[in-house]
Amino acid sequence: MEVTKLNFEEVFPDIVNDIENASFLCIDGEFTGLNNGHNVNAFDTPAESYLKIRAGSMDFLFIQFGLSIFTQDEKTGRYKNKTYVFYLFPRPVNRLAPDTRFLCQTSSIDFLVSNNFDFNKLFREGIPYLNSSDESQLADAMEVKRSYKANQVKDSSPQTIPVPKQFKSTIDSAMKKIDQVVNGKEIEVKIDKCSGFVRKLIYQTFEEKYKNVEGIILKSEGGGMLCKKGAEDLMEEKDAKELAAAVGFSKVVREISAKGKLVVGHNMLLDVCHLVQRFLDPLPPDYNDFKEMIHTLFPKIIDTKLICAEDAIKQTINGSTLEMLIDTMSKPPFHLPEIDGEEGYSYVLSDVKYHNAGYDAFITGTVFLSLIRAIDPDNKTSSIKNCKPIEKYMNKLFLMKAPDTCMDLVNPDPEPSRDHVFHVTFPKHWNANNIQKLFSPFGSTQLFWLSDTAAWVSLYQREESHKVMKALENSSKLPSGVTVLSYQRFIREKGAAISPRPNKRKHGNENASEEGKRKKSSPNDMRSNRSNRKISPIPEEVNSCELEVKKLEDSANIPGSEFDIDQSWG
């Protein structure tokens, strides 16, 4: 079911009820872009990956949210489904509200258009939202404005203006009407249309006579004037309505957080970051604070991409995009679950709508139920109750470019063995050929550029690692300007202080595509000169991206020649 600002308040009580009764929730998001140049690479630590996402992805807008709600019938074991897809646009409800600036990535916009995303509906009918910080600031600003109006003295002239004889009867007539409100005989009165000068005289007379009277407001309206009793309360009521409208969709995310239900996503790190930043609270700069924050807000999270990275599953699938997974799981040995969708609120697999956030959330739930059956064969109904095998994946987030580790929201992150990985610095004129020649005695390598003068080098043959350390690390025989450090030593000595910056490829025999090459630019340059920025296509457009990632996952040694999988979030 599509939800916009036109029907949001009407369906919100149903959404709350559905969340309350859910067995688990699946989420998916669509954004105006994915990355503004702070590219994650294969050997970033989870902390570095988070900091790059926080610095490079949060300036894009969250424009569509899919919420697919799965509820299991305890008697039959079958799942019922209701799916909502929300169009989101943070329009300011008044002049005090935040007026959001955001980035767009042309490849992302083009991709969404090619998948029939309705931008007219987004901008016309998108639901506003505020996170808690912005909500508090807006509420404070509204309170200050009310206080200012309540205490404002309207005698802007240095002295009282004498009332001309020709206007005295008009002023007296107006004040008699106002007296009716002040004395409680009327709730409100209207004063006939009059000139601006006469209105000023009425304001002046009102202030002189009733300057100590509270709870009365006098204002211009339609060329005349309106006087109301209890006006201050009415202003508070009006502000409360505007504030609620501004918070808008954020109420849904707060309900999800408050209910503590299991939340499932597919490669969901970016979704989770946006979910918190846009609708709850700003992301913290400290990685450990981030993990604690996410676990507090969403105490039960499962990423289906992480389950698909498990060896037993990975060996039986052709790829882990949602399209590939549904195709694979519709055939033995997998079993697609039978799901009862409520008419008007769900999808069917045959009506393909990939990259619609609602459909993708529904497919994620379908894949999740099939994966439960695969990892727990005796669980014929894919029940999540007392399902021990899924506990292994609880509260862990998949890292697309680092398949040998993950983000563990509860415990310390896994520390994979990277003895075969070396950090190399070199002169600016070096290219891939120079680095490969340096490491040629130790077999095939893979390069991951960090800058013009630094790169990660991964050995295909791990057993050669000790030879590299003996021959190259701290060697006086290295060419001038070249250093080689083991991964562990570099992380230890530098504190993992790799500056986030765009990947830069250099000319040479690197087997890299033209799309993989980047124009040299610092993050600050990219913010100030966005028209010159080049960003690679988003992953769903390029099937080869999934194949490259599969190579990375299959080997864990990062063998072969250099390739680029920037922005592979799918």
Side-chain angles (χ1 to χ4, degrees), residues 114-227:
S114 69
N115 283 279
N116 302 311
F117 189 92
D118 192 340
F119 280 95
N120 283 324
K121 181 174 290 185
L122 170 70
F123 297 131
R124 288 174 180 166
E125 302 175 15
I127 308 166
Y129 56 81
L130 291 177
N131 64 26
S132 297
S133 177
D134 288 338
E135 179 189 4
S136 296
Q137 291 182 29
L138 178 56
D140 290 344
M142 287 176 163
E143 184 177 354
V144 168
K145 184 178 179 181
R146 287 197 306 272
S147 177
Y148 173 77
K149 285 191 171 184
N151 299 312
Q152 184 180 26
V153 178
K154 301 181 177 64
D155 55 345
S156 57
S157 300
Q159 59 183 12
T160 301
I161 302 172
V163 178
K165 292 182 179 179
Q166 64 268 34
F167 297 127
K168 192 174 186 308
S169 61
T170 303
I171 303 302
D172 290 343
S173 176
M175 291 306 298
K176 287 181 180 179
K177 290 185 176 181
I178 293 173
D179 290 342
Q180 298 293 307
V181 176
V182 174
N183 295 329
K185 295 180 179 179
E186 297 286 349
I187 295 177
E188 69 175 42
V189 295
K190 292 184 178 180
I191 297 171
D192 295 338
K193 192 173 183 178
C194 52
S195 68
F197 180 65
V198 170
R199 291 197 297 274
K200 186 174 183 66
L201 293 174
I202 295 173
Y203 274 127
Q204 174 182 281
T205 306
F206 173 79
E207 287 297 325
E208 290 175 348
K209 188 173 182 180
Y210 297 120
K211 62 182 179 180
N212 295 322
V213 176
E214 296 181 354
I216 304 293
I217 190 169
L218 181 64
K219 64 178 183 178
S220 298
E221 182 177 273
M225 302 187 78
L226 177 69
C227 181

Side-chain angles (χ1 to χ4, degrees), residues 220-254:
S220 298
E221 182 177 273
M225 302 187 78
L226 177 69
C227 181
K228 289 183 177 182
K229 189 174 181 64
E232 187 175 352
D233 292 337
L234 293 176
M235 285 182 65
E236 286 190 23
E237 183 179 341
K238 176 177 175 291
D239 284 351
K241 289 181 179 179
E242 287 191 347
L243 186 62
V247 172
F249 171 76
S250 297
K251 295 188 295 185
V252 173
V253 182
R254 293 174 189 180

Side-chain angles (χ1 to χ4, degrees), residues 419-420 442 459-468 557:
D419 296 338
H420 62 298
F442 315 107
L459 300 183
Y460 179 78
Q461 296 173 300
R462 287 180 178 242
E463 63 273 13
E464 296 293 312
S465 301
H466 71 283
K467 294 181 181 179
V468 174
N557 299 312

